[in-house]
Amino acid sequence: MNRTILALLTETVALPAAASAQETIQYWMWDGQQAPVYQQCAAAFEAANPEIKIEITQNGWDQYWTALTTAMISGDAPDVFVNHVTRLPEMSANEVIVDLAPLIEEAGYDTSGYMPGLLDNWSRDGATYGLPKDWATVALGVDTEKLEAAGLSLADLADLNWNPEDGGTYQQTIAKLTLDGSGKRGDEAGFDGGSVETFGLVLNPLSLGGETEWSYLAASTGWQFIAEPWATAYNFDDPRVAAALGWLRDLGRVHHFTPTVEQTGKLGAETLMFSDKGAMTIVGSWLIGLYSQSKPTVAYVPVPAGPEGRKSMFNGLADSIWSGSDAPEAAWKWVQFLGSDDCQSIVAEAGVVFPAQADQVERTVAAYQARGIDVSAFTAVATPETTFPFPVTDYGNEIDAIISAALDRVMLGAGEPAEVLTEANEQVNSLF
């Protein structure tokens, strides 16, 4: 009897010891729509790796970066976190993220399956600071109810063209979709730009990368931010980008087809579309799910083709490992799983974003189609010929501040675009 009791006590004591041997990996992300999907990936990973537990924390974009910075300073950051390429220069310079290149080589990890260019965005001088998790392009999101009310169809918008002189058929369409308080459209006599009820095009506040605002236009003229990744000179003094931004400024300040900075402040395009203030906007593919829930009347057509063809920024998130992680081996194991088909196929079938692995694109398209969403406008431009990367260089924060201020001046009409941007470009290039 005593031996039986002793045995039971021994077993009871042994259980917590076994549990404590399990390593916990903290994984942070900001996208609320993706968090439940990655919880499925975590469950699959834990089933195959019972010695590792994944704890996922999701915070909104602004809170996410504030919390992450604070956690890194205090030494309590997550082992693995979703990273954005805009944060790469500072994080790599401060050595708060792990160089994965030696780990990739040691593990023989196959990176050839990623969409072209994705891994390059996270590499510098032989170092790799994240494994790609998804990719994104942009398309023109159109409220089909407003489109029909204007006597147009999606077919009419399937092959729009644009130029910085008169805006091409893109501007004509924007004008037709703009409606004033008396029911006059932007292309009709008597249109009152002072009483617009629905703007033909609404945009997010302009940013350095201009992903969903302006860079698709500037790039369609042949303009480039920089000559190559990690370059030491920007090209904001190029007259082509000035012309593109001048056209965008005049679309609001002269023609009243898009709201001015004074009218919208910091309101985003989604807020304006969801409140029926806009007929069209530029949508990043990561927002397809949000639009399907909040504004299901929105459908997608390709962005307009400019003088040098149709262009979209090609961006993608990555999973990075904090250099202060207490469980680097388990963290690397989790990062490898996140980038593998085992997890990426789960993401594809959920239809929330396009996974980084090229062989998952068709599965993702099918998932969207099953929900009645045509995403061909996004996939059609996901080629090396029709895309351009986000400009990644040193001094990212300083450059962001300089260019953002210049873009504000342009959109406020406080100076000619060419002069404002040339001055800003000189400030930027003097940093190197």
Side-chain angles (χ1 to χ4, degrees):
M1 177 70 74
N2 289 340
R3 289 180 179 176
T4 302
I5 293 174
L6 179 60
L8 289 172
L9 286 173
T10 302
E11 290 176 7
T12 303
V13 171
L15 286 174
S20 64
Q22 186 181 51
E23 288 186 290
T24 297
I25 295 299
Q26 297 290 337
Y27 181 52
W28 284 16
M29 62 193 316
W30 65 77
D31 194 320
Q33 293 195 66
Q34 294 186 49
V37 180
Y38 280 97
Q39 194 61 62
Q40 296 178 45
C41 285
F45 176 80
E46 290 170 349
N49 302 274
E51 75 282 4
I52 304 174
K53 178 176 177 57
I54 305 298
E55 288 190 357
I56 297 177
T57 299
Q58 181 265 322
N59 286 308
W61 173 265
D62 292 330
Q63 184 182 357
Y64 178 87
W65 294 109
T66 300
L68 185 60
T69 301
T70 301
M72 286 181 172
I73 293 173
S74 64
D76 192 30
D79 304 278
V80 181
F81 61 95
V82 178
N83 207 351
H84 193 280
V85 72
T86 55
R87 313 287 167 152
L88 176 57
E90 182 180 12
M91 287 188 174
S92 60
N94 291 332
E95 300 182 347
V96 295
I97 48 180
V98 174
D99 173 13
L100 303 180
L103 301 178
I104 292 171
E105 183 177 1
E106 181 182 354
Y109 189 82
D110 184 10
T111 61
S112 64
Y114 291 127
M115 291 284 285
L118 281 185
L119 193 62
D120 295 340
N121 291 347
W122 293 92
S123 303
R124 183 183 190 182
D125 297 332
T128 300
Y129 295 103
L131 283 189
K133 67 187 296 86
D134 56 33
W135 60 266
T137 55
V138 300
L140 192 58
V142 187
D143 188 326
T144 53
E145 290 183 346
K146 291 180 172 55
L147 189 67
E148 183 179 352
L152 297 172
S153 68
L154 289 173
D156 295 321
L157 277 62
D159 194 24
L160 295 175
N161 61 68
W162 171 84
N163 66 74
E165 286 77 37
D166 62 17
T169 57
Y170 189 31
Q171 182 167 328
Q172 294 170 23
T173 302
I174 295 170
K176 194 169 189 63
L177 289 171
T178 303
L179 193 67
D180 71 12
S182 63
K184 292 286 186 181
R185 298 196 172 274
D187 61 351
E188 293 180 326
F191 167 73
D192 180 9
S195 66
V196 177
E197 292 292 327
T198 300
F199 291 98
L201 181 70
V202 294
L203 300 169
N204 288 312
L206 269 58
S207 63
L208 167 63
E211 187 170 11
T212 57
E213 310 115 44
W214 62 269
S215 60
Y216 71 102
L217 295 173
S220 75
T221 67
W223 176 79
Q224 294 179 308
F225 285 95
I226 52 180
E228 58 186 359
W230 302 100
T232 56
Y234 276 74
N235 300 318
F236 279 100
D237 57 349
D238 190 311
R240 291 174 294 185
V241 67
L245 287 165
W247 175 84
L248 195 59
R249 174 203 61 189
D250 292 347
L251 199 65
R253 305 196 77 82
V254 175
H255 303 295
H256 310 290
F257 299 157
T258 190
T260 63
V261 174
E262 296 94 327
Q263 290 173 308
T264 59
K266 296 300 181 181
L267 290 179
E270 292 78 53
T271 300
L272 296 170
M273 289 294 288
F274 298 164
S275 60
D276 284 328
K277 292 298 182 182
M280 296 192 300
T281 188
I282 303 299
V283 178
S285 56
W286 62 91
L287 291 173
I288 296 172
L290 177 62
Y291 271 92
S292 69
Q293 293 174 3
S294 303
K295 195 70 173 177
T297 54
V298 168
Y300 307 102
V301 296
V303 291
E308 297 296 325
R310 189 170 283 112
K311 302 291 182 179
S312 167
M313 181 173 282
F314 189 64
N315 207 350
L317 307 180
D319 290 306
S320 296
I321 299 176
W322 177 44
S323 58
S325 172
D326 292 330
E329 292 183 5
W332 170 232
K333 201 168 188 178
W334 170 234
V335 168
Q336 290 180 80
F337 184 83
L338 287 168
S340 71
D341 277 333
D342 289 335
C343 174
Q344 298 254 306
S345 61
I346 293 173
V347 177
E349 290 172 357
V352 290
V353 289
F354 291 103
Q357 294 285 354
D359 62 1
Q360 298 298 331
V361 173
E362 290 186 9
R363 186 174 297 183
T364 309
V365 170
Y368 282 123
Q369 286 178 336
R371 289 151 53 194
I373 305 172
D374 180 0
V375 295
S376 59
F378 297 98
T379 58
V381 291
T383 71
E385 295 74 28
T386 53
T387 55
F388 57 94
F390 187 94
V392 180
T393 66
D394 290 320
Y395 307 108
N397 291 337
E398 295 88 344
I399 293 169
D400 186 22
I402 293 169
I403 297 301
S404 293
L407 293 173
D408 284 345
R409 287 182 61 194
V410 169
M411 297 308 288
L412 285 167
E416 287 302 312
E419 295 177 5
V420 172
L421 293 171
T422 296
E423 178 184 345
N425 200 68
E426 292 174 354
Q427 294 179 47
V428 165
N429 289 346
S430 70
L431 294 171
F432 296 96

